Amino acid sequence: MRVRNAISLVPFVLGTLACAAAHAQTDPPKTQFSIGAKIWHASWLSYVPATYTGIDANGGPALGDSVNGADGTGDTSVLPLLGVRHGKFFGSVSYGNYSSDFHVLSSSIILPNGQNLITSRTDHFKRRESDLNVGYYLTPEIGIALGYKDATESRDTTLAVAPQSTPLLSTKAKTLLLGAVGSFAVYEKLRFYFQAAYGPARLKLRFADPALSNFSTNGSYLIGELGLSYPIFTKASGYGGATASLGYRTQTVKTDSYAKFQEGRELRDVRDGAILALVFTL
């Protein structure tokens, strides 16, 4: 998140819709409530930018920049969620908290005398996300949804030559997402489900170093999830009970770097991995 649209954040939106809401019923009770949690074991791919000094073609001083793609350490997070459905309308709220360390073997640091110091570097990311979603079932098996995400991410950095952790950057993001959910019978009670969302975001970046200028920028999110679900028990009335699901979730943030880099480029931040959910419907 150190560059324009640098939003390694954000986001877990329609994946937070309660699984029971994705399993539409032909004639359900007028109002249903759901409570549950998702366990997401995800890898994290992001970027670590750096700057360096040199000379231009005329022999004058010049400032350059580079971006190192980095794989973060794996992270398993528990994401609580609440859902409600009234007729064909449904909604959900959820919360996510993620962290990861990104290690780069060779990163440039500019010393006070203008020379480049090459050192290894580790950036620690912490991200918190809150989601609110509302939607409507077009058919018993397919629905559309509108989501709002509020996310905050902080980055600290540690250099091999300076092992103490130093605050680097904090970012706040607000996002609107348009998405779809669906659930289809596979065999008896086993169902295939999918969730997808896409939308723009507005971000505010604040650097810990007062010499660096803060700025606001835009970004976009692409989120998808698919898997299988199965009701592990059902109430005698035929409605409510508990549903378990196992799937794969991916979240990609595409960003442009024109505001901070000498050379414009597209950056990606990706979190993906297996996701397990258990949802109780009342």
Side-chain angles (χ1 to χ4, degrees):
M1 286 202 250
R2 178 164 182 157
V3 297
R4 182 175 184 237
N5 299 340
I7 57 177
S8 26
L9 322 159
V10 257
F12 192 85
V13 177
L14 292 184
T16 63
L17 294 173
C19 295
H23 306 151
Q25 303 167 4
T26 304
D27 188 23
K30 199 64 176 177
T31 303
Q32 293 177 293
F33 296 93
S34 301
I35 184 171
K38 289 192 171 189
I39 301 175
W40 190 17
H41 180 71
S43 60
W44 198 339
L45 172 67
S46 193
Y47 47 88
V48 178
T51 57
Y52 58 88
T53 58
I55 60 173
D56 58 23
N58 298 320
L63 184 67
D65 44 49
S66 64
V67 175
N68 287 303
D71 290 306
T73 54
D75 175 55
T76 300
S77 304
V78 178
L79 308 149
L81 59 89
L82 295 172
V84 61
R85 176 174 176 176
H86 181 77
K88 294 184 178 181
F89 294 92
F90 61 90
S92 71
V93 293
S94 70
Y95 176 78
N97 194 341
Y98 320 117
S99 64
S100 187
D101 291 319
F102 294 80
H103 185 66
V104 177
L105 291 176
S106 178
S107 182
S108 174
I109 303 296
I110 301 176
L111 298 176
N113 61 8
Q115 290 185 326
N116 298 309
L117 171 65
I118 306 302
T119 180
S120 63
R121 166 181 173 180
T122 299
D123 281 15
H124 179 69
F125 292 14
K126 292 181 64 177
R127 179 186 299 175
R128 297 178 299 277
E129 299 179 354
S130 300
D131 295 273
L132 171 65
N133 305 280
V134 294
Y136 180 81
Y137 277 105
L138 302 174
T139 73
E141 295 182 323
I142 298 177
I144 57 174
L146 181 66
Y148 172 78
K149 175 183 290 294
D150 184 273
T152 301
E153 183 180 281
S154 63
R155 288 196 183 194
D156 299 336
T157 188
T158 303
L159 305 177
V161 295
Q164 70 276 10
S165 179
T166 303
L168 180 65
L169 170 70
S170 64
T171 302
K172 288 188 65 67
K174 299 182 184 298
T175 310
L176 285 177
L177 293 170
L178 180 64
V181 297
S183 175
F184 306 93
V186 175
Y187 178 74
E188 294 184 348
K189 296 182 180 181
L190 183 67
R191 300 184 71 86
F192 167 80
Y193 77 90
F194 77 87
Q195 302 162 347
Y198 177 81
R202 186 63 177 170
L203 299 100
K204 294 182 179 179
L205 290 84
R206 300 293 180 262
F207 292 94
D209 185 350
L212 299 175
S213 58
N214 301 322
F215 66 97
S216 298
T217 187
N218 300 313
S220 64
Y221 291 83
L222 177 63
I223 303 171
E225 182 179 329
L226 54 84
L228 297 172
S229 65
Y230 190 85
I232 54 179
F233 77 85
T234 305
K235 292 182 178 179
S237 63
Y239 301 109
T243 301
S245 67
L246 178 64
Y248 180 84
R249 178 177 177 79
T250 181
Q251 175 178 288
T252 299
V253 181
K254 294 183 179 180
T255 68
D256 296 325
S257 63
Y258 299 100
K260 284 293 178 182
F261 282 134
Q262 308 285 332
E263 177 184 349
R265 65 192 74 180
E266 185 179 78
L267 302 175
R268 289 172 180 252
D269 180 276
V270 182
R271 274 183 56 87
D272 57 3
I275 190 162
L276 173 69
L278 179 63
V279 176
F280 295 89
T281 302
L282 309 177

